[in-house]
Amino acid sequence: MFSVIACIRDDHDWRLVLVAAVVCLAGCVATMLLLLRAQRSEGSQRGLWTAASGFACGIGVWSTHFITMLAYDGGMTVSYGVWGTTLSIVLAIAAAWVAFTVGLGARSHYAMASSGVILGVGIAAMHFTGMQALEMPGHVVYDARFTVFAMVVGTLLAIAALHAFHVLRNVRRLVVSSLLLVVAICVLHFTSMSGVTLVPAPDIPAADIIHPAWLAGGVIAASTMLIILAFGALFVDRHLTDLRGLANASLEGMAIVHEGRIIDANERFVRLTGWKVSELAGRDPAAVFAFGEEGLQGHHRGDGPGEIDLINVAGQSVPVEFMCRTIEYRGRECEVIFVRDLSARKEAERTIEHLAHHDALTDLPNRGFFNRRLAQVMAAAAAKNEQLAILYLDLDRFKAVNDIFGHSEGDRILMKVADILRKAAGDGDTVARLGGDEFAILQVGGEQPEAARHLSDRILTFFAAEMDTNRDPTAVGVSIGAAIYPADGDTGDRLRNNADTALYRAKQSGKGIACFFDTEMDEAVRTRRQIENDLRHAVLRRQLFLEYQPIVDLRGDRILGYEALLRWMHPERGLISPDVFIPIAEQSGSIIQIGEWVLEQACREAAKWNEPLPVSVNISPVQFLLPNLFDQIFGILRRTGLEPRRLELEITEAALLHNREDVLATLGRLRIHGVRIVMDDFGTGHSSLSNLQTFPFDKLKIDCSFTAVIDKDPSAHAIVRAIIALGHSLNLPVVTEGVETERQRQILVDEGCLQVQGFLTGRPGVAPSTGQEEQADEWANAPLRADG
């Protein structure tokens, strides 16, 4: 260590040593900056910047060596050989380039160490080649210890410098790696020189030499050029790269036009057109854009952006937003064209437009599209005095399929139905999905109604072929209602309503058929459908109310209980008979909601009566389809506080026709908990003695249809007598409904029936709230409000 310091102090000019240090530091910093730029590049750019960093490192090491050699005084006059000096600079540059190429591609620590070894060996090779270039009257003698130490330590420091470059980040990377490389160069040079001895030998012949003054000038020029070019290249590259990167990062395509020709473009513009920048250069913008007759200047005049078609390399049109502005580019006035790809937006607009007018599942036109199309073709038909038809279609059994097999299966069925209708309809017909399982077809052209009948027949035939319930449990049927313009309506609303009315009649007539609108036949259907629609809202609108008719024991004119009778006061139609609206409620399913309301209302009012008399409530067979009917009834009893023994549920034998075992099980649970079960309308409909044997009913009721003719029709009299006798034999109380005359009363007394219900003993009225005797008088004299 002391020998090295002594060598620098005693054998070197410290001023030139200081210059060499500055040159070495500048060269190393420039090397690491260029190497950093190479690491951040890709492809051919990386190769160019790697070569530049190798060149900077080689020049820096070479300049440092020869400046220190100029500072060295070995005791004799020294000059430098041309070939050796040239070879040394070539070795320095080549070794640095190879080392950096290996280092940037390093995937492991071994490859990184290899690059450091290559760099260290290259610096040593440059040093000793430069020493061999010395021309003097003597020989250079090396001390092996210093030489080996210099090479080993210099190589290790070079490895450390490249390792620091790879593992460190930010400013620390640049500072640490540059200083380690400076130390590596200096340690190798000065340690080696401290073991060098110049031995005189005057007989050595002179060769081609470089005078030290010329070498000094060349070294200074080379090092200065190195520093200026390295930092200048980095600055210019960074400036240009930032501008190019900014342009390429833009979402908009940009093309520069000068004197009617494209001279440059960014990456986004290149991707839009499909041409390379070199292929775009020199092209007329009219070859890329569909300018029309106005040309670029016509589009340049607009202040805001406009839309235009860009023609790509494949000849396809790409919709773009276009704007042109004048700028100064590379010292000359140019036009810059900005374009933004509108393909995605246009596609989204088309999709939104399509979805706004089509059903998302079946891709058929929706209700809005169908209505607009109907208005258009009706206007055209009116102008040409032509006919057209609309068909409304509703799927049969679809709700059951959807509930049982799930919505995904329901969607599959809807798509299959859409395909069937497309196949059945004509080319000019419009098939639409109105919503749910409702479809419509607008048929134009052809003689009507024959064309509509043929279309209906095709649809029914296709459904029969492709929707066979024997093979496919998910198959559905279809019902069709048709109306003809202008015979069945001269406006869109009237035509649609009449087709809908015809469809309703088709479904009421047994489903799976086609019905055409008929004024007389469909008037009753329209009325029924209006009643059905109003009935769905009758509970919420508080149009329903209950009346109570007493059940009287003839032996003492004593009231035994009351039957709750449902009434509907329609705001327009007045009081509607239960015989009219109850069947409609059962068919439409609204009886479920109505029945629950009747049961709760009757129990709530009965709980307030002065006398704890039972109340009878009719239960529809449809209500027994509810799996939770038992829970519903006892929930009502808990809420209202009515004792179960005071509730009598009247059922008809129709309730036992479907799900017989489930119905009997529900009735059994109710009876066990105290609710009384009454067989209503016995002797009518599906009466069977086995029902009385199967279930222990608490009471039988004879239908009023027998009572009405009991004094005129011997057969009716005989039936009543048989039912009364049957009840006595089974120890069941028998109630006869519809008793209106004293003669009917006397016959029943003679036959042994002592419990009756009818206008003779009490008309339906408001809920009883007074004592039993007063209430009986009040109800016996009450005016008739509706049939019992």
Side-chain angles (χ1 to χ4, degrees), residues 697-719:
F697 288 94
D698 295 293
K699 186 184 297 185
L700 295 179
K701 297 188 77 173
I702 301 175
D703 188 65
C704 59
S705 62
F706 297 118
T707 310
V709 295
I710 193 173
D711 56 346
K712 303 173 184 176
D713 187 348
S715 298
H717 191 165
I719 292 174

Side-chain angles (χ1 to χ4, degrees), residues 305-325:
E307 293 186 10
I308 197 173
D309 284 340
L310 180 147
I311 311 301
N312 63 19
V313 66
Q316 300 170 334
S317 296
V318 180
V320 295
E321 190 176 57
F322 179 95
M323 180 181 289
C324 186
R325 291 288 182 268

Side-chain angles (χ1 to χ4, degrees), residues 60 78 85 110 169 206 238 247 299 308-309 314 395 417 473 494 528 530 536 560 580 584 618 706 735 739 756:
V78 177
T85 302
Y110 296 106
R169 293 293 179 267
R238 173 55 58 196
H299 289 270
I308 197 173
D309 284 340
L395 302 183
V417 168
R494 187 173 301 168
R528 177 188 174 91
Q530 185 62 48
R536 291 193 180 97
L560 301 177
V580 174
I584 296 177
N618 289 278
F706 297 118
V735 180
V739 178
V756 298

